[in-house]
Amino acid sequence: MTKACTVAIDAMGGDFGPQVTVPAALKALADYPQLKLILVGDFASLEKILSLHHAHPSERLSLHHASQQVSMDELPSQALRLKKDSSLRVAINLVKAGSAQACVSAGNTGALMATARFVLKTLPGIDRPAIITAFPTIIEGKRVHMLDLGANVDSCADHLYQFAIMGSLLVSATEGIVAPKVALLNIGQEEIKGNDQVKQTAQLLSDSKAVHYAGYIEADQIFAGKVDVIVCDGFVGNVALKSMEGVSKLIARITKETFKQNWLFMLLGLLAYPVIRRVRKRIDPSRYNGASLLGLQGIVVKSHGSANVLAFTRAIQQAIVEVEHDISQKIKEEIGVLLEDQQ
Amino acid sequence: MTKACTVAIDAMGGDFGPQVTVPAALKALADYPQLKLILVGDFASLEKILSLHHAHPSERLSLHHASQQVSMDELPSQALRLKKDSSLRVAINLVKAGSAQACVSAGNTGALMATARFVLKTLPGIDRPAIITAFPTIIEGKRVHMLDLGANVDSCADHLYQFAIMGSLLVSATEGIVAPKVALLNIGQEEIKGNDQVKQTAQLLSDSKAVHYAGYIEADQIFAGKVDVIVCDGFVGNVALKSMEGVSKLIARITKETFKQNWLFMLLGLLAYPVIRRVRKRIDPSRYNGASLLGLQGIVVKSHGSANVLAFTRAIQQAIVEVEHDISQKIKEEIGVLLEDQQ
């Protein structure tokens, strides 16, 4: 990283709270000498975990007390109304106030989305924020970004078009791809297929100069590595994401059970372990942790709730990259140009 | 099987046509002594493949000529208009005429759906047919059925409610489960989440006595084995299905590549092969081949286009089971009762 950058961490969020967020923060500070972090949460808990790691607050690592926590199953509306001093909200407040350039949370997705939208507001010209993340592909080293993964439950064609522009800008900036290929998720490649929402969006994308539109893509081609950005509505994207999680877990579990069926298989499992570890590493969700909430006046990164230290560190890295490339500002400018063109 | 049953086979459909459908038909005839099959397609091609397998038409295996074929990428509307003597259409016609009790095709899904709906019509009280299939779960021997997997691109709450009833009846009859647990696919378990379509359907299902409604389910829980039927709209269901396919292929490919990285890994791969084969067998899509088009006045089973002989035989079995349990009639009766109650 070249710029100075301060990231606020919702240290209480996620399934493991400070037990994961604090060591991940320490790791990120070690990896990025110019990085500054603000750990937001219960002072006593944070100091305790810090001391377990023989670490202390410093010029680069400050603590910011927050008296409340948002639980993982709390309704977003309730969190917004009743948890004004939660670690999640205070971390976002720090971005709003300019004390941090980004925030990272492994907390309740709905509450994070609602709070970030309420506190930071969307960028001018953006109706709705969207959640984007990267997936591995069959081409080693190549990733594909997909949005929206669940920030919205129903989106119209205009929203999907905005998602396409935001996704394209993010990938262009962070992956250094000049004109990222943007595809639209559909249930068939033929023109006749798809619902009205998808057909209208296809028209907008075909007509647009702001996006390199690559046509429809079916969900079994998500990992084919042929496109850079895949756009879909939040309900569909979330179902796709969770389906992938489900099937991965099913395969992992059945593999594990099978290797345990008898002594010979257990021995084979031990022998084959280096191979299995290498496969796992290549598709390890930790390596792809860190979903971005795009379209807000500020950078917000969502970590998976069950993230481990490595995965949470990846989410912090994602925030750093977005700060480095000034993503919010880039989206604001591009959307500004498009709005001017329309007038 | 206890009843006599005749199944019409679209012998030209699928990626491999008669090369797969004919040997699969011969296998099914061997497995079920009371079964009769009608192979529909090009006479010359069918006789050629039959003779390769040292088989001949018989009282149990008749040939029915059809001069046309529907290609896998043909538009449904075009197939409907221009392919009136296609193997796909003639197989459905045989069901309509009562010459067969069911038909099976590995052909173009859209064309099959459109033709079946046009020729057979939906059952009274059913607005739209739906595609249903079974998936494995983490509990060995337990399967979960999901619908709609892509017969429709947009469905309202009433349609989803009908899907729930049809899915419940199919599972009850074919799996012998008295009151199958029916869940609604959503992107969150909290009441606040989900779009209007899902919320309205949840209300209909909660109020219904015809269905044992088990609440919302997220897509990462599809394979958890906690419910028997999962209902969703066709766009979402198709994306879920294809996402699962995509991630399975990604994992298989990366595993294969990794085992090929060096001689040691190749050796380990050879040693571990019996385990990998057992894992593959448990989640092998062939074992779950045979999606049903529910809600029609007749039984239509869709095989995966790339099905091998084993998989296509499974699809024929699915048709036999549905004939045995008189699925169309059961749905007709149940929907009839519900319609009477509403009046």
Side-chain angles (χ1 to χ4, degrees), chain A residues 75 77 136-138 153 185-187 190 192 194-195 198 218-220 222-223 235-236 238-240 242-251 253-255 257-259 261 265 268 271-272 274-275 278-279 282-283, chain B residues 75-77 136-138 153 185-187 190 192 194-195 198 218-220 222-223 235-236 238-240 242-251 253-255 257-259 261 265 268 271-272 275 278-279 282-283:
Chain A
L75 292 180
S77 55
T137 71
I138 54 167
V153 289
L185 191 65
N186 198 355
I187 64 169
E190 302 125 54
I192 202 170
N195 54 25
V198 165
E218 285 196 84
D220 59 346
I222 291 173
F223 309 103
F235 194 99
V236 170
N238 196 273
V239 166
K242 295 275 174 74
S243 300
M244 296 170 203
E245 265 185 53
V247 89
S248 308
K249 278 185 202 157
L250 176 76
I251 294 173
R253 176 140 173 187
I254 289 176
T255 307
E257 275 177 19
T258 310
F259 272 120
Q261 270 174 3
F265 283 9
L268 289 172
L271 286 171
V275 190
R278 207 173 280 202
V279 172
R282 177 105 181 262
I283 48 175
Chain B
L75 292 181
S77 54
T137 71
I138 55 168
V153 290
L185 190 65
N186 199 354
I187 65 168
E190 302 123 54
I192 200 171
N195 53 26
V198 165
E218 287 196 81
D220 58 347
I222 290 172
F223 310 103
F235 193 99
V236 170
N238 196 274
V239 166
K242 295 275 175 77
S243 299
M244 295 170 202
E245 265 186 54
V247 88
S248 307
K249 279 185 203 158
L250 176 76
I251 294 172
R253 173 138 175 188
I254 289 177
T255 306
E257 275 177 18
T258 310
F259 272 120
Q261 269 174 3
F265 283 10
L268 289 172
L271 286 171
V275 191
R278 206 172 279 202
V279 171
R282 176 106 181 259
I283 49 176

Side-chain angles (χ1 to χ4, degrees), chain A residues 21-328:
Chain A
T21 57
V22 171
L26 295 173
K27 182 160 175 11
L29 287 173
D31 292 347
Y32 297 91
Q34 285 185 282
L35 177 67
K36 290 181 182 177
L37 294 177
I38 308 171
L39 292 174
V40 183
D42 177 62
F43 251 147
S45 310
L46 296 181
E47 279 181 330
K48 196 176 143 197
I49 306 265
L50 273 177
S51 70
L52 281 177
H53 288 87
H54 311 292
H56 304 279
S58 67
E59 192 255 331
R60 292 180 57 212
L61 179 69
S62 52
L63 302 188
H64 194 115
H65 185 66
S67 63
Q68 294 176 307
Q69 287 178 41
V70 176
S71 68
M72 293 304 266
D73 55 358
E74 201 159 341
L75 292 180
S77 55
Q78 220 162 359
L80 208 52
R81 213 170 56 243
L82 304 172
K83 296 289 176 74
K84 292 187 181 163
D85 196 40
S86 68
S87 54
L88 184 153
R89 177 128 177 198
V90 173
I92 296 171
N93 287 343
L94 290 171
V95 176
K96 172 77 178 171
S99 312
Q101 282 80 56
C103 75
V104 179
S105 173
N108 179 323
T109 310
L112 183 69
M113 194 71 227
T115 309
R117 199 173 163 180
F118 178 78
V119 172
L120 298 174
K121 314 292 180 216
T122 53
L123 288 164
I126 295 290
D127 298 317
R128 294 170 175 209
I131 298 178
I132 186 167
T133 200
F135 295 106
T137 71
I138 54 167
I139 300 164
E140 191 152 12
K142 174 146 182 86
R143 309 195 301 167
V144 60
H145 282 72
M146 191 160 149
L147 79 168
D148 171 30
L149 297 176
N152 308 282
V153 289
D154 40 17
S155 307
C156 67
D158 284 335
H159 300 144
L160 294 182
Y161 176 57
Q162 292 171 5
F163 298 167
I165 292 171
M166 295 196 293
S168 180
L169 282 168
L170 179 81
V171 170
S172 167
T174 60
E175 310 256 318
I177 298 169
V178 178
K181 285 183 203 157
V182 178
L184 192 56
L185 191 65
N186 198 355
I187 64 169
Q189 281 158 325
E190 302 125 54
E191 292 306 314
I192 202 170
K193 285 195 181 169
N195 54 25
D196 288 342
Q197 173 206 46
V198 165
K199 285 183 199 169
Q200 286 165 19
T201 310
Q203 194 57 54
L204 289 174
L205 288 171
S206 300
D207 295 345
S208 170
K209 285 174 193 153
V211 170
H212 177 183
Y213 178 53
Y216 292 140
I217 195 167
E218 285 196 84
D220 59 346
Q221 296 299 308
I222 291 173
F223 309 103
K226 288 177 194 158
V227 298
D228 304 297
V229 179
I230 297 171
V231 175
C232 59
D233 104 5
F235 194 99
V236 170
N238 196 273
V239 166
L241 177 74
K242 295 275 174 74
S243 300
M244 296 170 203
E245 265 185 53
V247 89
S248 308
K249 278 185 202 157
L250 176 76
I251 294 173
R253 176 140 173 187
I254 289 176
T255 307
K256 212 171 168 179
E257 275 177 19
T258 310
F259 272 120
K260 280 186 181 166
Q261 270 174 3
N262 59 49
W263 283 102
L264 176 63
F265 283 9
M266 276 177 85
L267 181 66
L268 289 172
L270 279 174
L271 286 171
Y273 186 69
V275 190
I276 295 168
R277 197 178 50 191
R278 207 173 280 202
V279 172
R280 273 218 316 240
K281 198 180 160 193
R282 177 105 181 262
I283 48 175
D284 182 8
S286 307
R287 281 182 65 194
Y288 300 88
N289 191 39
S292 309
L293 273 55
L294 285 187
L296 297 166
Q297 299 186 31
I299 293 165
V300 181
V301 172
K302 168 74 176 80
S303 158
H304 202 287
S306 66
N308 58 19
V309 174
L310 175 69
F312 197 80
T313 312
R314 260 293 300 134
I316 301 174
Q317 279 171 13
Q318 178 65 27
I320 296 169
V321 168
E322 292 187 27
V323 172
E324 281 246 283
H325 293 283
D326 219 351
I327 291 302
S328 292

Side-chain angles (χ1 to χ4, degrees), chain B residues 92 109 112-117 120 129-132 151 166 290-302 322 327-328 331:
Chain B
I92 296 171
T109 310
L112 183 70
M113 194 71 228
T115 309
R117 201 174 161 178
L120 298 174
I131 299 177
I132 186 166
M166 295 196 292
S292 310
L293 271 55
L294 286 186
L296 296 166
Q297 299 187 31
I299 293 166
V300 180
V301 172
K302 166 75 178 81
E322 293 187 27
I327 290 302
S328 292
I331 294 175

Side-chain angles (χ1 to χ4, degrees), chain B residues 69-192:
Chain B
Q69 287 177 40
V70 176
S71 69
M72 293 303 265
D73 55 358
E74 200 158 341
L75 292 181
S77 54
Q78 221 163 358
L80 208 51
R81 214 171 53 243
L82 305 173
K83 297 289 176 73
K84 292 187 181 163
D85 196 40
S86 68
S87 54
L88 183 152
R89 178 130 177 195
V90 174
I92 296 171
N93 287 344
L94 290 170
V95 176
K96 172 76 178 172
S99 312
Q101 282 80 57
C103 74
V104 179
S105 173
N108 180 325
T109 310
L112 183 70
M113 194 71 228
T115 309
R117 201 174 161 178
F118 178 78
V119 172
L120 298 174
K121 314 291 180 214
T122 54
L123 289 163
I126 295 290
D127 297 317
R128 294 170 176 209
I131 299 177
I132 186 166
T133 199
F135 295 106
T137 71
I138 55 168
I139 300 163
E140 191 152 11
K142 174 146 181 85
R143 309 194 303 164
V144 60
H145 282 72
M146 191 159 150
L147 79 167
D148 171 32
L149 296 177
N152 308 282
V153 290
D154 40 17
S155 308
C156 68
D158 284 335
H159 300 145
L160 294 181
Y161 176 57
Q162 291 172 5
F163 299 167
I165 291 169
M166 295 196 292
S168 180
L169 281 168
L170 178 81
V171 170
S172 168
T174 61
E175 310 257 318
I177 299 170
V178 179
K181 287 183 201 157
V182 178
L184 192 56
L185 190 65
N186 199 354
I187 65 168
Q189 282 158 325
E190 302 123 54
E191 291 307 312
I192 200 171

